[in-house]
Amino acid sequence: MTRTDPEKDPVTAWAEDVHAGRILAGPHVRNAAERHLKDLDTACDRGFVWDVDAAKDVIGFFHRRLRLNGGDFEGKPFHLHPSQQFRVGSLFGWKNVETGLRRFRRFYDEEGKGNGKSPMLAGIGIVGLVKEREPRAEVYAAASKKDQAQILFKDAVAMVDQSPSLKSRIKQLGIDPVYSLVYRAGDGGKREFKPISKDSGQSGPRPSMALCDEVHEHRDRSTIEMLERGFKFRKQPLLCMATNSGTDRNSICYEEHTHAINVAAGLVEDDTTFAFVCSLDEDDDWENDPSCWGKPNPLLGSILTEKYLALQVDQAKKMPGKRNGIARLHFCEWTDAETAAFSRATWMGCLGEVEMASLVEAGYRCFGGLDLSRVRDFTAFTLTWVLDEARDSQVFASKTWFWTPKNTLRQRAAEDRVPYDRWVDDGHIEAVKGDRISYRWVAEALQEICAIAHPVEIGCDQYGLENLQDHLNDIGADLPMTIHPQGFQKRIIEKDDTQPEGAQEVYLWMPDSINKFENAIYEGRIRIHPNPMMNHCASSVTYAENRTGHRMFDKSKALGRIDGMVSQAMSIGVATCREKRVVEPSVYKRRGLLKV
């Protein structure tokens, strides 16, 4: 292939270099480059044309008019990196043959932190403010929260401050912070660039451009939908979405991410979307192979240094709690949670069929964990069988049942963006008639299961336990329920006659149960019955941590439902705690307190 002169067409030249392997890129960026090259031959059949002069004009505007800000970059001309030239040039260079308007209306950009995505979007916004021939243009820096929207907008304000030609033509409204940039076009119409967010309360915007940064932080589609509703008033609106990778695969960000990579790969036909999704290849090992770092970080060696990334990798190795955050922010991995309990591969490796009847017939001892629902939530009940009684290395098999109110199921599935209704149809969740699950119904369900499994003990949070116990008594079900706190508080287990004199009391508490559950997972000592609802719970876990470093499940900050993980950890805690009731007495009980 003859290489295009970058001076004549920097966009096509960069795509050719990626396609030929002269520039390192991940699979989705390679697809984006190949798409551009194919379109040069085929897009005319669909009514589109490549206008290289228009692309070069906007690329040139960046270094002619715009300046960077902050640290070593303060006041330097904004020379777009070749990968940024490919992106910006593609947005403004591809045109509709008949109308001459831009082809692309949506731009999704996902790359590692520190690769200059926010300044690039700010620059695109200024292009929309002063170069577009759009009557009364409205450009918005948008985010789910106003503080986040201000970050991108401040880059735009700094660019105006440092450009004499722009500063003389653009009026700034507000002082610390500036809340609007106003430009008077030659036709006398006012054009405006300002931040906007879901919580700003503004209604009815008519954006010509909308710049959404950190899309992974958007909890829902409301902000983007608010902007896209106003696009109907514009001839060539442009929505730019830039983000790091996220954690929630049920989010708007992951939906846009999936659409973008499918468009780049040609799996979905969408001539209005331009996609630039940085990622590693499946066999890349960023923790041990620096040669792959440039794939999620296209500006590595430009504004981002290998030394800086090496420090991040070193932290990931030495501090496991930081590993997922670093993988997501710097290496474009969609992690299951910011501090996920375990990797997806580790979790999936523990899944396997668990047959209750065969385990009961084999005589294995069984322990339970029960997480009772609050009105519309899920009730989760886990049974764990101890397959090997060896001290400190027990082997477990677990199965979890999920119950939830039927009347609100579809609404919650829509709100959570999780297919609960399909999982009910497939038998993984049982939907109970009504708006809530009654404790009487739970009591009868537990009695039915426990009549087969005969658990030795069932751990249960104190919430609702007294009410449940009344219903168990009413139906004559004598189940071995014990309180297992879900927080940092400790549940002391009373000594009994089987313990030797002076033995120390042993307690149940969630941090210890979580640790024992995690150890069983990491060491491959547990088999968990496959259930997509349980997988969802595992991928949604986040932790709260107290001053002493102990962790508990944090439902308020969880990325989804975690009820199954709570009941699972309690069942492991109950099973392992009973095995260790006989322990050495405290040194203070042996010799008493010393007097000085």
Side-chain angles (χ1 to χ4, degrees), residues 309-320:
L309 281 185
L311 289 173
Q312 306 308 307
V313 172
D314 188 54
Q315 281 192 359
K317 290 179 178 179
K318 293 178 179 177
M319 304 172 70

Side-chain angles (χ1 to χ4, degrees), residues 423-590:
W423 294 345
V424 167
D425 293 340
D426 293 342
H428 302 298
I429 301 172
E430 184 172 355
V432 182
K433 290 182 179 180
D435 293 328
R436 61 183 299 167
I437 301 178
S438 71
Y439 283 107
R440 178 61 173 242
W441 191 95
V442 174
E444 292 173 351
L446 290 173
Q447 181 188 43
E448 183 178 343
I449 295 171
C450 294
I452 301 171
H454 303 293
V456 177
E457 190 170 8
I458 300 171
C460 183
D461 185 35
Q462 194 158 5
Y463 167 82
L465 183 55
E466 184 175 347
N467 194 344
L468 175 64
Q469 192 64 62
D470 288 342
H471 288 285
L472 289 170
N473 293 337
D474 287 345
I475 63 174
D478 184 16
L479 301 186
M481 311 294 287
T482 189
I483 295 173
H484 187 309
Q486 291 190 15
F488 293 118
Q489 70 270 32
K490 302 171 184 178
R491 166 68 174 173
I492 303 298
I493 297 178
E494 304 272 335
K495 287 191 296 185
D496 57 40
D497 295 339
T498 64
Q499 291 180 293
E501 179 111 17
Q504 179 185 348
E505 294 98 338
V506 179
Y507 49 79
L508 278 168
W509 69 323
M510 188 55 81
D512 189 51
S513 297
I514 289 172
N515 290 339
K516 289 171 180 173
F517 177 32
E518 286 188 349
N519 289 342
I521 287 282
Y522 283 122
E523 295 168 12
R525 294 187 285 106
I526 187 169
R527 184 169 75 249
I528 298 170
H529 189 75
N531 186 320
M533 182 63 191
M534 193 65 179
N535 297 345
H536 171 69
C537 293
S539 68
S540 300
V541 165
T542 56
Y543 290 121
E545 188 171 309
N546 66 6
R547 287 177 296 177
T548 60
H550 293 109
R551 299 168 304 154
M552 59 169 276
F553 295 123
D554 191 342
K555 285 191 174 185
S556 66
K557 294 182 179 178
L559 301 171
R561 308 289 180 175
I562 64 169
D563 314 88
M565 294 295 282
V566 174
S567 63
Q568 173 74 78
M570 288 196 293
S571 72
I572 294 290
V574 172
T576 53
C577 189
R578 286 188 65 87
E579 299 310 308
K580 294 186 178 180
R581 284 195 177 188
V582 180
V583 296
E584 289 298 318
S586 163
V587 63
Y588 302 109
K589 288 190 176 182
R590 291 199 308 268

Side-chain angles (χ1 to χ4, degrees), residues 318-331:
K318 293 178 179 177
M319 304 172 70
K322 286 193 171 186
R323 196 266 179 200
N324 273 13
I326 290 169
R328 180 180 68 80
L329 290 173
H330 295 291
F331 298 100

Side-chain angles (χ1 to χ4, degrees), residues 199-213:
D199 57 14
S200 65
Q202 178 164 342
S203 60
R206 299 181 177 184
S208 50
M209 280 191 184
L211 314 168
C212 294
D213 203 6

